[in-house]
Amino acid sequence: LYSGALAAYWAYLVFQGLPRPLLIGAILAAALAGGALCGLLAAAIRARFQVDVIITTIMLNYVVTYAMSWLLSGPWRDPSSYYQHTPAIAEAAQFAPLIAGSRLHLGFALGLIAALLLYLLLHKTPLGFEVRAFGLNPVAARFQGTNVTRILLVVMLISGAMSGLAGASELFGIH
Protein backbone atom coordinates (compact mmCIF):
# COMPACT_ATOMS: atom_id res chain seq x y z
CA LEU A 1 0.00 0.00 0.00
CA TYR A 2 2.71 2.47 0.99
CA SER A 3 4.99 1.60 -1.91
CA GLY A 4 2.12 2.16 -4.33
CA ALA A 5 1.32 5.49 -2.69
CA LEU A 6 4.99 6.54 -2.84
CA ALA A 7 5.28 5.57 -6.50
CA ALA A 8 2.01 7.37 -7.28
CA TYR A 9 3.20 10.54 -5.56
CA TRP A 10 6.50 10.34 -7.45
CA ALA A 11 4.55 10.11 -10.72
CA TYR A 12 2.47 13.09 -9.62
CA LEU A 13 5.61 15.15 -9.08
CA VAL A 14 7.17 14.11 -12.38
CA PHE A 15 4.08 14.39 -14.59
CA GLN A 16 2.05 17.17 -12.92
CA GLY A 17 2.11 19.28 -16.08
CA LEU A 18 0.14 16.69 -18.09
CA PRO A 19 -3.58 16.99 -18.79
CA ARG A 20 -5.77 15.47 -16.07
CA PRO A 21 -6.58 12.11 -17.78
CA LEU A 22 -2.92 11.47 -18.60
CA LEU A 23 -1.82 12.55 -15.13
CA ILE A 24 -4.32 10.21 -13.45
CA GLY A 25 -3.20 7.42 -15.80
CA ALA A 26 0.46 7.99 -14.92
CA ILE A 27 -0.39 8.04 -11.21
CA LEU A 28 -2.30 4.76 -11.49
CA ALA A 29 0.40 3.09 -13.59
CA ALA A 30 3.09 4.11 -11.12
CA ALA A 31 1.01 2.92 -8.17
CA LEU A 32 0.45 -0.47 -9.80
CA ALA A 33 4.16 -0.74 -10.60
CA GLY A 34 5.28 0.34 -7.12
CA GLY A 35 3.05 -2.19 -5.38
CA ALA A 36 3.93 -4.91 -7.88
CA LEU A 37 7.63 -4.31 -7.33
CA CYS A 38 7.33 -4.92 -3.60
CA GLY A 39 5.21 -8.02 -4.15
CA LEU A 40 7.65 -9.33 -6.73
CA LEU A 41 10.61 -8.69 -4.44
CA ALA A 42 9.00 -10.69 -1.62
CA ALA A 43 8.16 -13.52 -4.04
CA ALA A 44 11.67 -13.57 -5.49
CA ILE A 45 13.16 -13.87 -2.00
CA ARG A 46 10.73 -16.72 -1.30
CA ALA A 47 11.54 -18.48 -4.56
CA ARG A 48 15.32 -18.10 -4.26
CA PHE A 49 15.96 -18.50 -0.52
CA GLN A 50 12.74 -20.18 0.75
CA VAL A 51 12.17 -17.36 3.26
CA ASP A 52 8.57 -17.22 4.45
CA VAL A 53 6.58 -14.57 2.58
CA ILE A 54 5.01 -13.27 5.78
CA ILE A 55 8.44 -12.53 7.29
CA THR A 56 9.68 -10.95 4.06
CA THR A 57 6.67 -8.69 3.61
CA ILE A 58 6.68 -7.59 7.25
CA MET A 59 10.36 -6.65 6.95
CA LEU A 60 9.71 -4.88 3.63
CA ASN A 61 7.10 -2.80 5.47
CA TYR A 62 9.92 -1.34 7.54
CA VAL A 63 12.05 -0.62 4.49
CA VAL A 64 9.20 1.20 2.75
CA THR A 65 8.18 3.03 5.92
CA TYR A 66 11.72 4.28 6.51
CA ALA A 67 12.02 5.32 2.86
CA MET A 68 8.75 7.22 3.21
CA SER A 69 9.94 8.86 6.41
CA TRP A 70 13.16 9.96 4.72
CA LEU A 71 11.26 11.39 1.73
CA LEU A 72 8.79 13.21 3.97
CA SER A 73 11.51 14.73 6.11
CA GLY A 74 13.71 15.61 3.15
CA PRO A 75 13.02 16.00 -0.55
CA TRP A 76 9.20 15.85 -0.47
CA ARG A 77 8.63 17.82 2.73
CA ASP A 78 6.35 20.84 2.67
CA PRO A 79 8.75 23.68 3.56
CA SER A 80 5.96 25.73 5.10
CA SER A 81 5.05 23.05 7.67
CA TYR A 82 6.61 21.79 10.85
CA TYR A 83 5.17 18.30 10.31
CA GLN A 84 6.36 15.55 7.97
CA HIS A 85 4.03 15.82 5.02
CA THR A 86 4.03 16.91 1.42
CA PRO A 87 2.48 20.03 -0.03
CA ALA A 88 -1.21 19.66 -0.87
CA ILE A 89 -1.98 17.67 -4.00
CA ALA A 90 -3.37 19.76 -6.84
CA GLU A 91 -7.05 19.31 -7.58
CA ALA A 92 -6.21 18.10 -11.12
CA ALA A 93 -4.55 15.01 -9.63
CA GLN A 94 -7.22 14.17 -7.07
CA PHE A 95 -9.58 11.30 -7.86
CA ALA A 96 -12.98 12.66 -8.79
CA PRO A 97 -15.84 11.94 -6.38
CA LEU A 98 -18.50 9.56 -7.70
CA ILE A 99 -21.21 11.15 -5.57
CA ALA A 100 -21.08 14.86 -4.85
CA GLY A 101 -20.52 15.66 -1.20
CA SER A 102 -19.30 12.16 -0.31
CA ARG A 103 -15.89 10.53 0.09
CA LEU A 104 -16.75 7.89 -2.52
CA HIS A 105 -14.32 8.47 -5.38
CA LEU A 106 -12.78 7.00 -8.52
CA GLY A 107 -10.72 4.55 -6.44
CA PHE A 108 -13.91 2.70 -5.48
CA ALA A 109 -14.85 2.21 -9.13
CA LEU A 110 -11.31 1.09 -9.93
CA GLY A 111 -11.48 -1.40 -7.06
CA LEU A 112 -14.71 -2.86 -8.42
CA ILE A 113 -13.21 -3.15 -11.91
CA ALA A 114 -10.08 -4.79 -10.49
CA ALA A 115 -12.21 -7.27 -8.50
CA LEU A 116 -14.16 -8.20 -11.63
CA LEU A 117 -10.97 -8.64 -13.67
CA LEU A 118 -9.41 -10.79 -10.95
CA TYR A 119 -12.54 -12.92 -10.78
CA LEU A 120 -12.41 -13.46 -14.53
CA LEU A 121 -8.69 -14.24 -14.34
CA LEU A 122 -9.14 -16.78 -11.55
CA HIS A 123 -12.24 -18.53 -12.89
CA LYS A 124 -12.06 -18.25 -16.67
CA THR A 125 -8.40 -18.71 -17.63
CA PRO A 126 -5.85 -21.55 -17.47
CA LEU A 127 -3.62 -19.32 -15.33
CA GLY A 128 -6.49 -18.94 -12.88
CA PHE A 129 -6.84 -22.72 -12.67
CA GLU A 130 -3.13 -23.01 -11.86
CA VAL A 131 -3.36 -20.25 -9.26
CA ARG A 132 -6.31 -21.95 -7.56
CA ALA A 133 -4.55 -25.32 -7.65
CA PHE A 134 -1.42 -23.75 -6.18
CA GLY A 135 -3.47 -22.14 -3.42
CA LEU A 136 -5.20 -25.39 -2.52
CA ASN A 137 -2.13 -27.63 -2.59
CA PRO A 138 1.26 -26.48 -3.93
CA VAL A 139 2.71 -30.00 -3.80
CA ALA A 140 -0.12 -31.44 -5.89
CA ALA A 141 0.13 -28.50 -8.29
CA ARG A 142 3.84 -29.23 -8.77
CA PHE A 143 3.10 -32.91 -9.50
CA GLN A 144 0.41 -31.83 -11.96
CA GLY A 145 3.10 -29.99 -13.91
CA THR A 146 2.52 -26.44 -12.73
CA ASN A 147 5.59 -24.25 -12.41
CA VAL A 148 4.89 -23.19 -8.82
CA THR A 149 7.72 -20.63 -8.79
CA ARG A 150 6.15 -18.84 -11.76
CA ILE A 151 2.71 -18.95 -10.11
CA LEU A 152 4.14 -17.57 -6.85
CA LEU A 153 5.79 -14.69 -8.73
CA VAL A 154 2.62 -13.93 -10.73
CA VAL A 155 0.34 -14.04 -7.68
CA MET A 156 2.59 -11.78 -5.61
CA LEU A 157 3.02 -9.40 -8.54
CA ILE A 158 -0.75 -9.10 -8.98
CA SER A 159 -1.49 -8.78 -5.26
CA GLY A 160 1.23 -6.17 -4.87
CA ALA A 161 -0.20 -4.22 -7.80
CA MET A 162 -3.67 -4.28 -6.21
CA SER A 163 -2.22 -3.02 -2.94
CA GLY A 164 -0.44 -0.26 -4.84
CA LEU A 165 -3.75 0.71 -6.42
CA ALA A 166 -5.25 0.93 -2.93
CA GLY A 167 -2.37 3.16 -1.83
CA ALA A 168 -2.97 5.57 -4.70
CA SER A 169 -6.69 5.57 -3.94
CA GLU A 170 -6.00 6.52 -0.34
CA LEU A 171 -3.51 9.24 -1.21
CA PHE A 172 -5.28 10.82 -4.17
CA GLY A 173 -8.86 10.04 -3.19
CA ILE A 174 -9.25 10.57 0.54
CA HIS A 175 -6.09 11.92 2.15
Side-chain angles (χ1 to χ4, degrees), residues 18-168:
L18 291 176
R20 182 182 176 102
L22 293 177
L23 178 60
I24 297 293
I27 287 168
L28 292 174
L32 291 167
L37 183 64
C38 267
L40 191 60
L41 180 59
I45 292 170
R46 168 67 179 173
R48 176 70 175 101
F49 301 109
Q50 298 302 309
V51 177
D52 189 62
V53 174
I54 294 170
I55 301 299
T56 307
T57 53
I58 288 173
M59 294 185 76
L60 276 173
N61 285 337
Y62 288 106
V63 172
V64 173
T65 302
Y66 285 128
M68 180 179 61
S69 180
W70 175 76
L71 288 167
L72 291 177
S73 62
W76 291 356
R77 184 178 187 156
D78 183 0
S80 65
S81 175
Y82 173 78
Y83 299 102
Q84 285 186 329
H85 63 78
T86 64
I89 294 173
E91 195 170 324
Q94 294 176 10
F95 290 177
L98 297 177
I99 300 173
S102 76
R103 292 171 44 138
L104 193 64
H105 57 79
L106 175 66
F108 178 75
L110 293 174
L112 290 178
I113 292 167
L116 176 65
L117 292 175
L118 288 173
Y119 173 82
L120 293 173
L121 174 78
L122 287 174
H123 295 283
K124 305 295 182 187
T125 66
L127 174 64
F129 173 78
E130 289 181 326
V131 167
R132 287 183 288 127
F134 174 74
L136 291 171
N137 190 338
V139 175
R142 179 177 283 121
F143 280 117
Q144 179 237 340
T146 299
N147 182 343
V148 294
T149 301
R150 179 181 67 89
I151 296 300
L152 174 68
L153 293 170
V154 167
V155 167
M156 290 296 289
L157 182 111
I158 292 171
S159 64
M162 294 300 100
S163 295
L165 180 64

